[in-house]
Amino acid sequence: MKPNDVILQSVTKVTVIIIFTFSVYLFLNGHHHPGGGFIGGLSTAAAIILLFLAFDIEKVRENFQIDFKKLAALGVLIAIGTGFTGMLAGDPFLTQYFNDKNLPIFGKTELATALIFDTGVALAVIGTAVSIILSISEGDSLWKR
Amino acid sequence: MNSLHMLIFIPFVFAMAIPLLYKLFHPKIHLGWFVLLIPLVIFLYLLRYIPLVVNGDHLTTSLAWLPSVEMNLDFYIDGLALLFGLLISGIGVLVIIYSIFYLSKHREELHKFYMYLMMFMGAMLGLVFSDNIFILYGFWELTSISSFLLIAFWYERKSSRDGAMKSLLITVFGGLCMFAGMIMLTLITDTYSIREMILNVEFVQAHKLFIPVIICILLGAFTKSAQFPFSIWLPGAMEAPTPVSAYLHSATMVKAGIYLVARFTPVFGGSSVWFWLVSGIGIITLLYGSITAVRQTDLKALLAYSTISQLGLIMSLLGIGSLTFYFGPSEHGVTYSMAIFAAIFHLFNHSMFKGSLFMVVGIIDHETGTRDIRRLGGLMQLMPVSFTVALIGGFSMAGLPPFNGFLSKEMFFKAVNDVRVAEIFHLETLGMLFPLLAWIASIFTFVYSMILVFKTFSGKYRQEKLNRDVHEAPFGMLIPSVILAFFVVVIFFFPNVFSKYLLKPAFVAILPMFTIDKVDIKISAWHGWNTELLMTIGVVIMGSLLFITVKRWVPLLKQYPQWLTLNNLFEKSLEKVERYSLTITNRYMTGSIRHYFIYIFSFFVIVLAGSLLLLHGIQFDVSEDNVICIYDMGLVLGVMIAALTVLFTSNRMTAIVALSVVGYLVTMFFVIFRAPDLALTQMVVETVTTVLFLLCFYHLPKLQKNIGRIKFKLTNLIVSVATGLTITILALSSNSHKLFEPISYFFENAYELAGAKNIVNAILVDFRGFDTMLEISVLCIAGLGVYTLARFRMKGGDHNEAE
């Protein structure tokens, strides 16, 4: 008999938004302030895990139709892929570029290829963390048998 | 590639063609007829070089193989190499004729036999003609391997496999020792060429590695030539087919050690170590082999021990001959040089009579089905030709006229008598032993030769003990042994012809201080009533007496305890080595992770602490350290308390929580040491690991959950304290030694270089992005690992249940 956890679920609904926002902040902020792909990815994973705790795994799965193992692999691929862009221009592997551009809404913004690399890192971290938790918790029910 | 190279590689090339010939002609024509061509061609070709060496010349050729390391196929022909080459190819011809009639083309795997035999012949030729010392070594090991294959030719028999194994173990042991000696020798002389080494003798004799080199090289020669106490493999090798025993284990391979000693005599000769080792071991082998041969009942074993004994004789002569290098070409030196000549002569003679004797024994075995003396007898009338050959061979071996063994035996006695007057190397006192031992050994040699001839052929014929009708061997089987026996007699009557064309050039090759036209050696059968003749007469009288009374005293010899034989000692020690190594391995490879960690940490402590102490690395310099503030002290105190809690708690849950306390305190360290990125990451990671620990804790099996504190173990305490101390000292010392400027200044202008104000992140994604890339790959792999572990274990379980 599962206890009714309305409070937990309601609080989670609000908190998850905040955590997601914070992780995106950490992730984007990484270039100039503490933060970055790794910690951003980890906190995103933390938010997802919170969802798993509050709701059923199946329910979260329905809403997040993502295979986290593939996500992790995609992250690694992106990170490696950014290395080749530098090679196209004749620079060594994993050369990063940056430039200031005037964008319509944001005004003068620094655009850096390091951000793409960081995206790869973040995706790899999210994918790995969540798939570890998921595979252990799925195995869990079987271990008890 | 000139003709000499072709000559040596023909057997190898032909060995490759043998399977094809086997396939084409197998049941129709005996494979041996094709193989026969090869040694015949080599023999005839080598005869062409006789005029060259008779003039005292030599021929060198070279073929580049690995020129960058001076490893080239340098071959040369001088008297010694030519003598060996002719023996190898000549007896090779006869042995192959013999084997054609000995081995059945229907029952035996002839293609293998002749392939191994050709491999052996090529290796042996390469060995004697090589000038490059490492090429020589290569051929040397190839003879060991092909001999191993030939001994185990009937591999279904256990005794064949055992004999092959034993011979391989011993000869390869010696070969590797020799290899070490050769390496040292090349280090001393700085050349790979044996000829050049002989020119640089003075460096060798003065070098501090001189004695190790001698011992190593002699170990190789002694193991190959079955000297005491390495002789045990030779009787075991008698499990080989008789043509192999006749060829390898009497005429050629066992002489490889003799060849080596003869070849290196100019380098080492004249030193007391060389003299005592070579002649001392040789004379002991002579005595040991002859006494042991008497008590054998198997004819081939008797011949094996007789080979050992005769090899010892040749070896001791080579040792005595090395005294020539001490005296130089003076009158004294010439006296001792006769020993070298006797050695060569006896080597030549021994190949003849021993080859023929082995063939006769093979014939007896083939015709009667047994080699046991106790079942044989009275074959004289049934096998007259074999008897004649055995008589000639046996009497020659015993050293009787009119056979060649007499001549070389007389020269041997002369050499051992001369040793007494040398008056160096303690010979004035110990020298007396040489003639005495030689004389005793010769008596036993006489006795076993007589046993071989008369116990087999005379006496009563015992049909009931033999399970077939005995008759004379086929013509083809007799031919080779008759030819050899013919030479045994011819050499006695015309020794000087052989001496001029074969022996003298070999003599000059061993003793380069003589030139061929100045060597004045005449072999004569009759040389007056001198000591040597009296010794021979004594041998005959004593030997005859002993032979007549052989039934009375041979049982005494057989009383010798079985467990004290060398063979038994070898087998026991082999068994012991295996058992002890198993015990030792079982003792330290316990399978316990704890023990392995103790080894790892102890090694770590010994190496690091040892190098710190030896290199005087322990220096503490606190002048540049920062001031310790109150927060640091508080945090350190907290970490210490938490860490000690982990050690001393009796509750696992407490330990996990204490461990995460350590983790969070480290986060605080990152905060006060101004590392915000690290602090953030550490905090999240610490949380996750704590959760995972709790998960593991939750799933511990109920049965074995003994809740208690960590058991105290003194070794663990010592090792852990030592490791901690080492690390601490190492960290403090390395902090005190700053040899180079830190490289962090490079990253300080990260904004200009990477457009990032966060240095840590700039390093992670830009300056050192490669590391990050691989780290996330590691993370990804770990995730997949957990996934597969959790998943596929279950599948395996289902699979088992299904079964």
Side-chain angles (χ1 to χ4, degrees):
Chain A
M1 182 70 197
K2 207 173 178 189
N4 192 352
D5 32 36
V6 172
I7 298 177
L8 177 64
Q9 293 186 349
S10 314
V11 170
T12 304
K13 280 176 188 166
V14 180
T15 324
V16 160
I17 304 290
I18 300 172
I19 301 176
F20 274 141
T21 319
F22 180 61
S23 12
V24 172
Y25 168 77
L26 275 176
F27 169 66
L28 288 176
N29 219 18
H31 215 47
H32 296 311
H33 302 285
F38 200 83
I39 187 68
L42 271 179
S43 46
T44 312
I48 298 171
I49 289 161
L50 183 61
L51 283 173
F52 282 137
L53 287 175
F55 301 95
D56 213 32
I57 286 182
E58 294 307 314
K59 208 167 214 172
V60 182
R61 276 256 175 102
E62 273 171 35
N63 290 287
F64 270 116
Q65 292 198 336
I66 301 170
D67 186 341
F68 286 97
K69 297 186 294 296
K70 284 182 185 159
L71 191 72
L74 180 72
V76 176
L77 263 183
I78 290 174
I80 295 171
T82 55
F84 288 104
T85 53
M87 288 177 81
L88 289 179
D91 288 322
F93 185 66
L94 272 177
T95 311
Q96 311 286 5
Y97 306 97
F98 61 95
N99 212 345
D100 288 338
K101 280 274 161 59
N102 273 316
L103 292 182
I105 303 169
F106 300 101
K108 192 186 172 204
T109 313
E110 188 192 344
L111 291 177
T113 51
L115 192 69
I116 306 172
F117 185 82
D118 240 3
T119 314
V121 174
L123 290 181
V125 171
I126 296 169
T128 307
V130 177
S131 64
I132 287 178
I133 298 285
L134 272 183
S135 41
I136 288 176
S137 61
E138 278 175 358
D140 190 41
S141 55
L142 282 149
W143 291 348
K144 277 183 192 161
R145 209 170 37 176
Chain B
M1 193 84 172
N2 69 14
S3 50
L4 186 57
H5 289 105
M6 300 236 285
L7 209 63
I8 287 161
F9 286 106
I10 278 178
F12 294 112
V13 175
F14 190 75
M16 285 186 247
I18 283 175
L20 183 72
L21 291 171
Y22 183 72
K23 206 160 181 129
L24 287 178
F25 299 104
H26 166 48
K28 283 170 278 178
I29 306 170
H30 197 287
L31 207 55
W33 293 114
F34 300 104
V35 181
L36 184 61
L37 284 175
I38 301 301
L40 199 63
V41 166
I42 295 172
F43 184 74
L44 293 176
Y45 198 85
L46 282 176
L47 284 177
R48 276 188 31 186
Y49 288 105
I50 286 181
L52 178 94
V53 295
V54 166
N55 293 329
D57 289 338
H58 56 79
L59 181 99
T60 52
T61 56
S62 182
L63 179 68
W65 180 39
L66 299 171
S68 54
V69 287
E70 291 179 47
M71 199 76 83
N72 297 321
L73 299 168
D74 300 329
F75 293 124
Y76 73 110
I77 290 188
D78 63 357
L80 186 65
L82 188 66
L83 175 66
F84 271 90
L86 286 172
L87 279 178
I88 293 162
S89 51
I91 297 185
V93 172
L94 300 177
V95 161
I96 286 171
I97 297 176
Y98 182 75
S99 72
I100 292 172
F101 293 92
Y102 187 84
L103 293 172
S104 156
K105 65 181 169 184
H106 300 294
R107 287 197 304 274
E108 308 287 358
E109 294 170 298
L110 286 177
H111 53 308
K112 290 186 186 167
F113 180 79
Y114 287 114
M115 264 166 78
Y116 301 154
L117 202 69
M118 281 295 104
M119 214 167 101
F120 172 78
M121 189 180 284
M124 202 63 210
L125 285 171
L127 197 161
V128 296
F129 288 120
S130 286
D131 182 36
N132 188 309
I133 195 163
F134 291 118
I135 301 293
L136 189 152
Y137 172 73
F139 283 119
W140 180 279
E141 292 297 31
L142 200 56
T143 61
S144 294
I145 292 167
S146 46
S147 154
F148 168 75
L149 292 169
L150 282 168
I151 296 169
F153 179 64
W154 288 316
Y155 52 84
E156 308 90 350
R157 299 183 190 168
K158 188 176 183 304
S159 53
S160 296
R161 296 196 301 269
D162 288 349
M165 188 70 151
K166 198 195 286 176
S167 76
L168 189 74
L169 278 177
I170 293 176
T171 51
V172 169
F173 159 75
L176 288 174
C177 288
M178 190 182 83
F179 189 42
M182 285 172 167
I183 290 172
M184 287 191 266
L185 199 56
T186 51
L187 288 179
I188 297 170
T189 55
D190 198 26
T191 170
Y192 292 160
S193 161
I194 298 171
R195 304 185 61 77
E196 284 175 33
M197 281 174 190
I198 292 171
L199 297 177
N200 294 336
V201 172
E202 63 273 22
F203 294 120
V204 183
Q205 304 243 359
H207 202 275
K208 60 176 185 290
L209 281 176
F210 181 58
I211 290 174
V213 167
I214 285 187
I215 290 171
C216 284
I217 296 230
L218 281 184
L219 269 175
F222 286 172
T223 49
K224 197 74 152 185
S225 281
Q227 297 295 297
F228 186 87
F230 306 110
S231 53
I232 46 175
W233 66 266
L234 191 59
M238 290 302 130
E239 293 300 329
T242 303
V244 174
S245 307
Y247 189 41
L248 273 68
H249 306 128
S250 70
T252 53
M253 190 178 90
V254 287
K255 304 249 162 73
I258 305 270
Y259 170 78
L260 195 80
V261 169
R263 187 51 94 197
F264 280 105
T265 295
V267 182
F268 302 113
S271 78
S272 72
V273 185
W274 179 263
F275 167 78
W276 275 111
L277 277 177
V278 176
S279 59
I281 297 280
I283 205 111
I284 291 171
T285 313
L286 168 64
L287 193 64
Y288 162 77
S290 61
I291 294 177
T292 320
V294 173
R295 50 183 212 133
Q296 303 302 318
T297 51
D298 180 2
L299 285 176
K300 267 176 108 176
L302 187 149
L303 284 181
Y305 280 106
S306 123
T307 304
I308 291 169
S309 148
Q310 303 283 320
L311 291 171
L313 189 156
I314 300 171
M315 202 62 101
S316 67
L317 280 173
L318 284 175
I320 295 167
S322 75
L323 289 177
T324 318
F325 288 89
Y326 185 87
F327 293 108
S330 62
E331 193 188 339
H332 235 62
V334 171
T335 314
Y336 295 110
S337 71
M338 284 312 291
I340 296 275
F341 189 82
I344 302 166
F345 191 34
H346 195 70
L347 178 141
F348 185 63
N349 293 341
H350 176 249
S351 300
M352 302 286 156
F353 65 70
K354 196 49 70 65
S356 70
L357 283 175
F358 264 109
M359 288 175 187
V360 167
V361 168
I363 289 170
I364 294 169
D365 189 14
H366 207 261
E367 300 304 322
T368 65
T370 182
R371 301 191 308 245
D372 197 326
I373 299 181
R374 289 167 298 189
R375 292 168 64 189
L376 293 168
L379 297 177
M380 204 189 289
Q381 283 84 15
L382 293 163
M383 303 167 82
V385 185
S386 307
F387 169 66
T388 316
V389 172
L391 193 75
I392 293 171
F395 277 29
S396 176
M397 185 157 73
L400 296 178
F403 307 109
N404 60 6
F406 173 73
L407 303 175
S408 44
K409 190 60 82 63
E410 293 284 286
M411 291 170 84
F412 171 59
F413 282 149
K414 169 121 179 28
V416 288
N417 284 331
D418 287 339
V419 167
R420 281 179 302 156
V421 295
E423 297 188 336
I424 48 162
F425 307 153
H426 307 291
L427 278 174
E428 57 273 20
T429 47
L430 291 170
M432 196 52 219
L433 281 175
F434 277 90
L436 189 67
L437 293 179
W439 191 67
I440 297 171
S442 298
I443 292 170
F444 281 104
T445 307
F446 182 88
V447 173
Y448 72 67
S449 305
M450 294 307 114
I451 290 177
L452 174 72
V453 177
F454 292 113
K455 293 270 172 190
T456 322
F457 289 98
S458 68
K460 217 163 73 215
Y461 175 57
R462 280 167 284 185
Q463 174 69 52
E464 73 282 359
K465 290 200 175 178
L466 305 172
N467 42 14
R468 57 181 95 170
D469 289 330
V470 179
H471 51 78
E472 186 58 276
F475 190 59
M477 230 158 145
L478 288 170
I479 284 269
S481 53
V482 168
I483 292 175
L484 283 176
F486 172 72
F487 270 106
V488 167
V489 181
V490 166
I491 291 168
F492 177 80
F493 288 108
F494 309 100
N496 291 313
V497 180
F498 292 93
S499 163
K500 184 179 174 215
Y501 288 106
L502 290 172
L503 308 181
K504 272 189 197 169
F507 174 77
V508 180
I510 300 176
L511 300 171
M513 70 266 263
F514 296 104
T515 49
I516 199 143
D517 40 340
K518 295 225 180 97
V519 181
D520 180 32
I521 300 171
K522 272 266 180 287
I523 309 170
S524 51
W526 176 253
H527 37 70
W529 287 102
N530 53 15
T531 332
E532 289 78 43
L533 193 62
L534 291 176
M535 278 169 88
T536 304
I537 293 169
V539 165
V540 174
I541 295 168
M542 281 299 291
S544 307
L545 280 174
L546 280 175
F547 177 64
I548 293 163
T549 56
V550 79
K551 282 217 172 78
R552 303 226 180 113
W553 57 271
V554 159
L556 283 179
L557 276 183
K558 286 180 183 163
Q559 293 288 314
Y560 184 77
Q562 185 64 33
W563 61 271
L564 252 178
T565 54
L566 287 174
N567 208 2
N568 194 54
L569 289 180
F570 174 78
E571 265 155 27
K572 279 281 166 324
S573 58
L574 208 62
E575 207 176 282
K576 282 245 163 61
V577 164
E578 278 173 12
R579 208 167 55 232
Y580 283 135
S581 64
L582 183 71
T583 319
I584 291 168
T585 313
N586 282 344
R587 185 159 294 164
Y588 75 91
M589 299 298 282
T590 52
S592 151
I593 292 277
R594 179 182 160 245
H595 291 161
Y596 299 159
F597 272 124
I598 290 176
Y599 307 148
I600 293 169
F601 283 121
S602 314
F603 179 79
F604 178 82
V605 168
I606 290 165
V607 169
L608 281 187
S611 55
L612 269 178
L613 284 172
L614 283 176
L615 304 173
H616 307 290
I618 305 176
Q619 286 163 27
F620 300 129
D621 176 18
V622 289
S623 59
E624 288 184 25
D625 291 2
N626 283 343
V627 183
I628 302 168
C629 69
I630 184 106
Y631 302 116
D632 304 335
M633 286 163 76
L635 281 174
V636 167
L637 201 67
V639 167
M640 278 165 71
I641 291 168
L644 287 174
T645 318
V646 175
L647 271 185
F648 293 108
T649 182
S650 59
N651 189 338
R652 286 211 175 89
M653 187 70 92
T654 320
I656 292 168
V657 172
L659 211 58
S660 60
V661 167
V662 174
Y664 286 117
L665 285 174
V666 170
T667 311
M668 293 309 291
F669 268 120
F670 287 144
V671 170
I672 64 170
F673 290 145
R674 296 175 209 143
D677 294 275
L678 288 185
L680 276 170
T681 314
Q682 168 71 18
M683 193 168 70
V684 180
V685 168
E686 186 57 46
T687 315
V688 172
T689 46
T690 308
V691 169
L692 287 176
F693 265 127
L694 286 172
L695 191 76
C696 294
F697 173 72
Y698 184 74
H699 288 294
L700 278 178
K702 300 265 185 306
L703 281 176
Q704 295 159 348
K705 201 192 280 177
N706 54 339
I707 296 169
R709 65 175 60 200
I710 300 172
K711 273 187 237 128
F712 177 77
K713 287 198 182 77
L714 188 65
T715 28
N716 287 11
L717 179 75
I718 295 170
V719 170
S720 57
V721 168
T723 312
L725 267 177
T726 310
I727 295 287
T728 313
I729 294 171
L730 193 70
L732 287 175
S733 316
S734 64
N735 195 39
S736 312
H737 293 81
K738 287 214 166 113
L739 295 177
F740 305 103
E741 287 294 305
I743 55 166
S744 56
Y745 73 93
F746 177 73
F747 302 111
E748 274 162 15
N749 49 0
Y751 191 66
E752 287 96 71
L753 288 171
K757 285 178 190 157
N758 182 349
I759 301 178
V760 176
N761 206 310
I763 292 172
L764 282 180
V765 300
D766 197 334
F767 299 124
R768 298 284 157 91
F770 201 73
D771 297 355
T772 313
M773 191 187 86
L774 294 178
E775 272 158 24
I776 59 172
S777 312
V778 168
L779 205 64
C780 188
I781 291 164
L784 291 175
V786 171
Y787 175 75
T788 45
L789 276 179
R791 266 302 151 92
F792 292 95
R793 211 180 73 137
M794 290 156 6
K795 273 199 177 165
D798 289 346
H799 186 64
N800 285 339
E801 277 164 29
E803 282 175 355

